[in-house]
Amino acid sequence: MLSVKNLAVSLSGREIILPETMSFEIGRGEIAALLGPNGSGKSTLLGALCGLVKKQGGGILYDSIDVESLTARERAKIFAHVPQSERPTSDYTVLESVVMGRYPHLKSFDGYNRDDYEIARESLRRVDLAGFEERIVTKLSGGEAARTVIARALAQDSPVLLLDEPAAALDPKHARIIMDLTKELAGEGRTILMAMHDINLAISSSDRLIFIVGGSIADDMPSLRVTEDVLERVYGISWEIWSTGGDASKLVAIPGAVAQAEDHSP
Amino acid sequence: MEHAPVSHRLPAAYGYAAVLALLFLAVLSGLCSGDIRMPLSDLFEMLRLGPGARPEDAILHDVVWRIRMPRLLSALISGAVLASGGVIFQAVLRNPLAEPYTLGVASGAAFGAACAISLGGLWLTAASFAGSMGTLFVVWALGERSGDSDRSRLILAGVIVGSILGAGLTLIKALAGERALAIVVWLMGSFADSNWFDCSPLFVGLSVLVIICSVYVQELDIMTSGADGRALGLDVRRTRVILLGGASLAVSFVVSRFGVIGFVGLVVPHLLRILFGPMHHRILPLSFLGGAALLASADAAAKSMNELPVGVLTVLAGGPIFCFILWRRK
């Protein structure tokens, strides 16, 4: 169980996640999508969970362990993070890049062993990159590079997976593959938290939607209970939600016109 | 659909074969070449006798064990330190233009040496080492002030402090009168008057580098990959302090005694990455051996060319080779 209590984060003196407003719990096997406008604090929240961003207040507990008390390696054994974008800066092969996900599990003075490489290969198969092992990461397409980073996070073998817009660079087929993969991983008992902008992908792929606006949780609900009102309140545009297939198991949300004048005041 | 190209790297065994062959030649030519011609048979005899022997031909024995051997070892260790230091600097600062002198150890050493020479030449190595360490301290204080991983700030601090010291050095040269020539010669780097006493700090520097390179191989990979190491469990700040601090210390042992020898620390790491890929378990051992072989060969050549400054020779000979390899690679 991942438990976040009154998390507060400031960057350069600006409050990104407001104190006393950010508390939630996510169980094992649960997939939660973080939704909200640009700059609402979704990526900062993911960064604070895995230690990329320092928190100023509140607590993060995983199975009652305060993650702040852990070393960087121990924390990386709990949280695997896939950033919004990552530009490879050296000519590693895809396999070399993915096996680096095994770093938190290495003992001092040890290198990656045969098992680590096997786990890296299996991770590549799961993101549909089998056969890409010897390719150079700097020469991959945007989607291939994004899947390589997801494979590296899988190789990390952490119980909580934090994905920052995992489908943004992917074509519809590979977006589906990755979303199906998150369901598989949740089925294995992992906790998935992903920041997203695609409402439909979020509804169809997650159990729960957590809406963040201005650094606070605006709403937290099961995915299939989302309403037009909630979306309108969060994004400031009108929405239509359609139920397809005669039941409520498939919803399609269509954005409409801007509902109200945007507030540009600081 | 067009796929990303597959990696075409040379097997590391080719690299080891090449550098070991070069190393062997460098050792032989380093010990045989010089003012006194030494046939191989005499050389092997002196080597067999060992450093403590008192043979009939004491001159040849002294030439091998008191003059050429410390000079050869100084060049070998300096080359290994500069090349592996270059690998570390380029990896940690994630900058292809980084070299072991990026944080100002060379400009500090040069300034310290110039001060000592202009004041009569006493305590030259100590002044140079103090200049080197002092500069490193100032650059570090400036560059790390912002706390987290701001690599460009550290590089900028190195450049600025280096520029200030460069201007100071020019001023000292202008005011040094006839001693200005000694400063210029020191700056070009040379192993000409090495002795056994010089080798001990070099061994310390080499040991520091060998230890940190053995411990931090995977960390260097992560730091060069473009990934945020913290998300993979890497304590980036601590690792950076240890790697850059250790490499700078080792390099300052070299520059404070032998002057500023360029090229090795900048180009050897690039060359190895181009040929053998970026994985550090492959390129770090090759950089130790390759740097040692290159600098010892260059020194042997410099010796046979009427003691040309070795720093000039490394660039003149190695630069075009690097350009050729760069041109051949698409």
Side-chain angles (χ1 to χ4, degrees):
Chain A
M1 166 84 77
L2 172 66
S3 174
V4 174
K5 281 186 184 159
N6 293 324
L7 187 70
V9 179
S10 296
L11 295 176
S12 309
R14 194 177 134 237
E15 285 185 335
I16 307 291
I17 295 179
L18 305 181
E20 311 295 324
T21 64
M22 184 63 70
S23 297
F24 58 87
E25 289 184 338
I26 309 179
R28 282 173 194 268
E30 198 174 1
I31 305 178
L34 294 173
L35 295 165
N38 295 125
S40 56
K42 304 184 295 293
S43 300
T44 305
L45 170 61
L46 296 182
L49 291 176
C50 64
L52 297 185
V53 178
K54 262 191 188 152
K55 69 176 176 64
Q56 271 69 46
I60 303 164
L61 302 175
Y62 180 76
D63 282 350
S64 309
I65 302 167
D66 179 5
V67 299
E68 288 296 311
S69 66
L70 302 176
T71 62
R73 271 195 193 205
E74 287 168 334
R75 195 160 174 159
K77 285 184 192 170
I78 295 177
F79 296 101
H81 178 254
V82 174
Q84 218 170 87
S85 65
E86 181 180 306
R87 195 174 62 86
T89 48
S90 280
D91 286 346
Y92 288 102
T93 66
V94 169
L95 186 65
E96 287 167 349
S97 176
V98 172
V99 84
M100 289 180 202
R102 301 299 301 157
Y103 175 74
H105 301 275
L106 282 185
K107 292 190 177 70
S108 301
F109 299 104
D110 272 3
Y112 304 114
N113 61 26
R114 194 181 292 242
D115 289 344
D116 293 320
Y117 280 99
E118 193 40 53
I119 291 169
R121 282 196 184 87
E122 174 57 24
S123 304
L124 284 170
R125 276 193 286 277
R126 295 186 87 165
V127 298
D128 198 29
L129 280 180
F132 278 66
E133 288 83 353
E134 295 306 316
R135 296 191 190 276
I136 304 285
V137 283
T138 48
K139 305 286 195 303
L140 295 173
S141 72
E144 290 162 354
R147 282 184 284 146
T148 302
V149 177
I150 294 173
R152 192 184 65 212
L154 290 184
Q156 213 169 319
D157 200 21
S158 308
V160 182
L161 202 53
L162 309 170
L163 305 165
D164 200 346
E165 300 194 27
L170 305 183
D171 60 52
K173 176 190 160 190
H174 286 107
R176 194 68 261 163
I177 287 175
I178 295 303
M179 290 302 120
D180 289 345
L181 175 62
T182 59
K183 285 186 178 171
E184 257 180 64
L185 295 167
E188 294 166 9
R190 299 202 213 195
T191 304
I192 318 278
L193 191 56
M194 44 191 184
M196 298 182 88
H197 279 304
D198 186 332
I199 309 289
N200 289 301
L201 205 58
I203 293 172
S204 65
S205 314
S206 59
D207 305 312
R208 186 170 148 194
L209 307 179
I210 300 174
F211 291 98
I212 300 181
V213 180
S216 309
I217 293 186
D219 250 307
D220 183 348
M221 61 181 61
S223 300
L224 296 176
R225 299 270 293 277
V226 67
T227 64
E228 291 154 345
D229 285 349
V230 170
L231 293 178
E232 188 170 326
R233 213 169 48 240
V234 170
Y235 290 102
I237 56 171
S238 64
W239 289 80
E240 281 182 49
I241 293 184
W242 296 76
S243 168
T244 63
D247 59 27
S249 65
K250 287 183 180 169
L251 299 179
V252 180
I254 304 166
V258 175
Q260 61 203 41
E262 282 188 42
D263 183 8
H264 292 293
S265 60
Chain B
M1 191 176 101
E2 202 173 311
H3 283 300
V6 173
S7 116
H8 290 294
R9 296 171 184 164
L10 293 177
Y14 289 11
Y16 284 111
V19 294
L20 288 174
L22 185 60
L23 205 55
F24 181 70
L25 291 176
V27 168
L28 280 189
S29 56
L31 293 176
C32 289
S33 67
D35 290 340
I36 297 177
R37 205 179 139 267
M38 173 106 49
L40 276 180
S41 54
D42 285 353
L43 173 65
F44 290 138
E45 177 60 19
M46 295 304 135
L47 290 177
R48 192 187 61 77
L49 288 171
R54 285 278 165 265
E56 270 180 40
D57 195 345
I59 293 178
L60 271 192
H61 187 265
D62 278 358
V63 164
V64 171
W65 284 106
R66 300 183 76 171
I67 298 172
R68 291 186 186 170
M69 191 61 91
R71 178 174 182 159
L72 173 69
L73 277 178
S74 299
L76 287 171
I77 299 174
S78 300
V81 166
L82 290 173
S84 57
V87 171
I88 290 175
F89 268 79
Q90 286 167 15
V92 178
L93 297 175
R94 247 192 244 174
N95 190 316
L97 293 178
E99 58 170 337
Y101 306 143
T102 299
L103 297 189
V105 286
S107 31
F111 186 79
C115 288
I117 293 170
S118 66
L119 294 172
L122 279 176
W123 300 94
L124 175 58
T125 304
S128 173
F129 186 71
S132 175
M133 286 287 103
T135 309
L136 179 66
F137 179 77
V138 172
V139 168
W140 202 276
L142 274 174
E144 287 281 305
R145 200 174 150 78
S146 61
D148 276 341
S149 54
D150 192 352
R151 292 179 302 273
S152 31
R153 188 183 162 109
L154 204 52
I155 295 170
L156 193 61
V159 170
I160 299 293
V161 173
S163 303
I164 296 169
L165 289 171
L169 183 64
T170 308
L171 185 65
I172 291 174
K173 277 193 284 190
L175 300 175
E178 56 193 28
R179 287 183 181 144
L181 182 64
I183 296 174
V184 172
V185 169
W186 187 92
L187 285 176
M188 286 193 283
S190 171
F191 296 103
D193 56 348
S194 316
N195 54 50
W196 282 110
F197 181 73
D198 297 327
C199 291
S200 28
L202 289 184
F203 274 119
V204 174
L206 182 69
S207 309
V208 167
L209 272 179
V210 168
I211 291 168
I212 60 176
C213 287
S214 320
V215 175
Y216 290 99
V217 178
Q218 279 75 32
E219 284 80 354
L220 284 165
D221 287 337
I222 290 173
M223 287 174 134
T224 42
S225 71
D228 190 329
R230 292 171 301 170
L232 290 169
L234 178 61
D235 187 339
V236 175
R237 196 174 156 77
R238 195 181 67 125
T239 308
R240 193 174 50 182
V241 170
I242 292 171
L243 285 170
L244 292 186
S248 296
L249 176 72
V251 168
S252 60
F253 283 132
V254 174
V255 287
S256 59
R257 175 59 187 87
F258 300 113
V260 184
I261 299 159
F263 181 81
V264 179
L266 181 65
V267 178
V268 170
H270 279 295
L271 201 59
L272 293 173
R273 262 187 226 109
I274 288 173
L275 296 173
F276 304 103
M279 289 296 268
H280 287 87
H281 70 264
R282 217 173 288 138
I283 59 168
L284 275 172
L286 283 172
S287 73
F288 276 105
L289 295 171
L294 183 76
L295 199 49
S297 311
D299 184 51
K303 194 162 50 168
S304 62
M305 291 179 199
N306 205 17
E307 291 293 355
L308 266 185
V310 67
V312 175
L313 201 65
T314 49
V315 183
L316 285 180
I321 296 170
F322 181 73
C323 290
F324 176 71
I325 291 170
L326 200 62
W327 177 71
R328 284 284 305 273
R329 304 282 298 190
K330 287 179 186 167

